[in-house]
Amino acid sequence: SQQGEEDPQALSIQEGENATMNCSYKTSINNLQWYRQNSGRGLVHLILIRSNEREKHSGRLRVTLDTSKKSSSLLITASRAADTASYFCATVPNSGGYQKVTFGTGTKLQVIP
Amino acid sequence: NAGVTQTPKFRVLKTGQSMTLLCAQDMNHEYMYWYRQDPGMGLRLIHYSVGEGTTAKGEVPDGYNVSRLKKQNFLLGLESAAPSQTSVYFCASSVRLAGSGEQFFGPGTRLTVL
């Protein structure tokens, strides 16, 4: 089974609203990463949060990590139509070396202008 | 800089045919990866390379072979294509191992095996 599971699978919001998507995982991690994928394109790295960090910001993105609940959330504030994309979390386990990155199934975000 | 490029963009094969997907990066990255993306599933690692002349198996390596003869190129081969290999294939590269930081992805190759 997937290490990271995103929730919800799909999300539709109006431009200007905030979008929140969640990622849950099963085993202890070294870090967790979020990627964006526009339709028909490759993935783009957004942010990495380490297991000893609780919150991280990058522009309109805010990522939180709760290792006790094995979950992370990605908040996009003041969404824009250009934010329409699929968002994936990727977990890096504590064991197995840094070559093992497990991607979740993604949240499909639609921002309506 | 072109970043990571993949050729071809689309391909249709018949069962049993062979083909090679080419990935090229111009960022002088040591690490390169091949993933496949299927509907309803996350990306799954097929093979990866930690440097020129090296390759290693990922999560789903069966039916695929790879070669990294030059640092900037990573080739993925299908010797005898099967319908189960219908997928979108992504190549990625990175400065450090994937779990340490950012991977840069190519635009993908959409492969259909009939």
Side-chain angles (χ1 to χ4, degrees), chain A residues 35-48:
Chain A
Y35 281 83
R36 182 188 76 230
Q37 183 180 34
N38 291 90
S39 182
R41 309 289 290 272
L43 278 71
V44 174
H45 188 266
L46 295 176
I47 200 164
L48 180 154

Side-chain angles (χ1 to χ4, degrees), chain B:
Chain B
N1 289 350
V4 179
T5 58
Q6 294 182 232
T7 51
K9 289 185 168 50
F10 304 92
R11 186 71 187 268
V12 178
L13 289 179
K14 293 182 180 177
T15 297
Q17 288 185 318
S18 63
M19 78 163 294
T20 300
L21 282 68
L22 170 64
C23 174
Q25 53 95 4
D26 60 3
M27 296 173 284
N28 202 35
H29 287 170
E30 288 292 335
Y31 304 94
M32 297 187 75
Y33 316 84
W34 276 107
Y35 292 91
R36 60 178 289 174
Q37 184 177 38
D38 301 294
M41 303 186 74
L43 269 72
R44 292 183 291 168
L45 182 64
I46 305 171
H47 286 281
Y48 66 99
S49 169
V50 300
E52 181 179 309
T54 75
T55 63
K57 293 180 180 179
E59 183 185 354
V60 288
D62 294 342
Y64 305 95
N65 57 75
V66 287
S67 64
R68 184 118 180 252
L69 299 179
K70 292 183 179 180
K71 186 177 183 178
Q72 63 268 34
N73 296 338
F74 196 27
L75 278 64
L76 177 71
L78 285 73
E79 291 182 347
S80 180
S84 60
Q85 294 178 304
T86 292
S87 187
V88 181
Y89 291 85
F90 288 97
C91 176
S93 70
S94 61
V95 174
R96 297 169 289 174
L97 274 170
S100 301
E102 181 176 4
Q103 293 181 77
F104 294 82
F105 283 82
T109 294
R110 187 174 292 274
L111 174 67
T112 302
V113 183
L114 303 174

Side-chain angles (χ1 to χ4, degrees), chain A residues 26 32 35 40 50 52 73 80 96 100 103 105-106:
Chain A
K26 295 184 173 68
L32 185 146
Y35 281 83
R50 304 187 191 285
N52 61 353
S73 67
R80 304 167 182 169
K100 184 170 175 59
F103 287 84
T105 53

Side-chain angles (χ1 to χ4, degrees), chain A residues 22-25 32 64-73:
Chain A
N22 305 294
C23 170
S24 59
Y25 55 91
L32 185 146
T64 61
L65 179 64
D66 187 334
T67 53
S68 66
K69 294 182 179 178
K70 291 187 169 59
S71 68
S72 173
S73 67

Side-chain angles (χ1 to χ4, degrees), chain A residues 68-89:
Chain A
S68 66
K69 294 182 179 178
K70 291 187 169 59
S71 68
S72 173
S73 67
L74 170 66
L75 168 68
I76 304 174
T77 59
S79 63
R80 304 167 182 169
D83 295 327
T84 293
S86 291
Y87 292 82
F88 296 87
C89 67

